[in-house]
Amino acid sequence: MARILVVEDEPRLRKIIRDFLSAQGYEIVEAGEGLSAVRKALDHQPDAVIMDIMLPGIDGYEAARRIREDRIVPVIMVSAKGEEVDRLKGFEAGSDDYMVKPFSLRELHARLKVVLRRGGEAQPVEQRWSHLVFTVDPLRRLVYSRDKPLPLTDLQYRLLMLLMGRPGVVFSRDDILDRLQEEDHESLGRTVDAHIKNIRKLIEPDPARPRYLLTRWGAGYYFAEKEPL
Ligand code: CA
């Protein structure tokens, strides 16, 4: 069963949440303030966090941000009634949902199930991985070429991950447009070809003669499976 970190400074409310979720079969880890929440997240590696915003010491936003520096984990932010919820701030901190007190325990459980399911499906590979001379750090969304970080834009990063993640598989321009727009609605603006060209400038020793990001004429683009001779 999933392990949930419940962060709430009000002991009575924390106990109510703990007892309810334990009864549903979850394993519960508790914290009463922000710093201990960060420490407990490290020690216990929860599958999701229920995070009160107003906490002694560092607040819930900051605690969530620090927890997610270590590992991507779904976070449900909880604010008191009447508190202004800064959604943007919450999403920067990586929260996946919000609840306003008082909430029903059933609603909490329903939302928890949603973020746990989402986390299980859409979880990107978080560990560093390497392909040929490149190393990818998914948590920081960075790609290194022979240990040198590449100054990729977010769109270039996603395009590169699409291709490098499945070496040898040819993606047509339409495939690429579909995949990238599916993830968010950022307009690709310029054509795929132009983006490929810009990525080549960053990753290829000689962009005019690509070794890694290759063209299959009439079909599309693919990433080299092996180091070219
Ligand atoms: Ca509080």
Side-chain angles (χ1 to χ4, degrees):
M1 203 21 139
R3 182 180 297 154
I4 313 297
L5 173 60
V6 177
V7 188
E8 169 60 63
D9 59 323
E10 222 253 273
R12 237 191 39 200
L13 179 56
R14 195 170 69 232
K15 182 178 183 314
I16 289 169
I17 297 173
R18 180 194 68 202
D19 291 351
F20 172 77
L21 291 178
S22 300
Q24 305 298 318
Y26 293 98
E27 187 187 333
I28 304 300
V29 178
E30 296 173 65
E33 43 98 12
L35 283 176
S36 73
V38 175
R39 206 174 48 241
K40 289 196 174 175
L42 277 174
D43 289 348
H44 298 276
Q45 304 279 305
D47 300 296
V49 180
I50 296 168
M51 178 72 78
D52 186 28
I53 292 174
M54 294 301 288
L55 294 167
I58 63 171
D59 68 14
Y61 293 124
E62 177 64 16
R65 199 185 59 74
R66 292 194 195 176
I67 287 170
R68 290 177 55 119
E69 271 177 6
D70 172 60
R71 197 168 61 98
I72 302 295
V73 55
V75 178
I76 298 175
M77 291 291 207
V78 178
S79 72
K81 199 177 173 186
E83 247 171 45
E84 199 56 39
V85 174
D86 189 339
R87 285 183 177 268
L88 190 62
K89 203 172 163 189
F91 282 110
E92 278 169 4
S95 71
D96 295 281
D97 206 350
Y98 273 97
M99 298 194 69
V100 176
K101 292 180 200 170
F103 49 81
S104 80
L105 292 168
R106 232 178 40 197
E107 189 189 352
L108 175 67
H109 190 203
R111 300 218 189 175
L112 192 56
K113 281 195 278 193
V114 170
V115 299
L116 284 171
R117 195 163 58 227
R118 208 191 288 151
E121 278 167 8
Q123 205 74 324
V125 181
E126 288 156 25
Q127 278 171 351
R128 279 176 170 242
W129 54 279
S130 296
H131 179 60
L132 308 180
V133 297
F134 304 99
T135 301
V136 179
D137 183 342
L139 280 181
R140 289 168 186 80
R141 294 174 85 80
L142 281 175
V143 181
Y144 298 84
S145 170
R146 295 194 164 85
D147 299 327
K148 206 180 90 204
L150 300 170
L152 296 162
T153 66
D154 190 60
L155 182 64
Q156 289 169 343
Y157 172 84
R158 289 190 290 128
L159 177 46
L160 189 55
M161 287 308 96
L162 178 66
L163 298 171
M164 202 194 291
R166 296 173 73 187
V169 176
V170 178
F171 290 87
S172 71
R173 290 178 183 82
D174 282 346
D175 288 339
I176 292 172
L177 285 168
D178 284 352
R179 300 297 181 97
L180 295 185
Q181 285 178 335
E182 203 174 74
E183 284 184 11
D184 68 21
H185 295 280
E186 181 187 355
S187 160
L188 279 182
R190 289 179 297 156
T191 65
V192 171
D193 296 350
H195 290 297
I196 294 281
K197 195 172 158 197
N198 288 333
I199 295 172
R200 280 179 175 152
K201 283 184 198 155
L202 296 172
I203 69 168
E204 299 286 354
D206 177 2
R209 286 189 197 78
R211 299 162 62 90
Y212 301 113
L213 213 179
L214 305 171
T215 303
R216 175 74 49 82
W217 295 108
Y221 297 105
Y222 66 105
F223 208 87
E225 286 178 87
K226 292 181 195 152
E227 192 65 43
L229 297 172

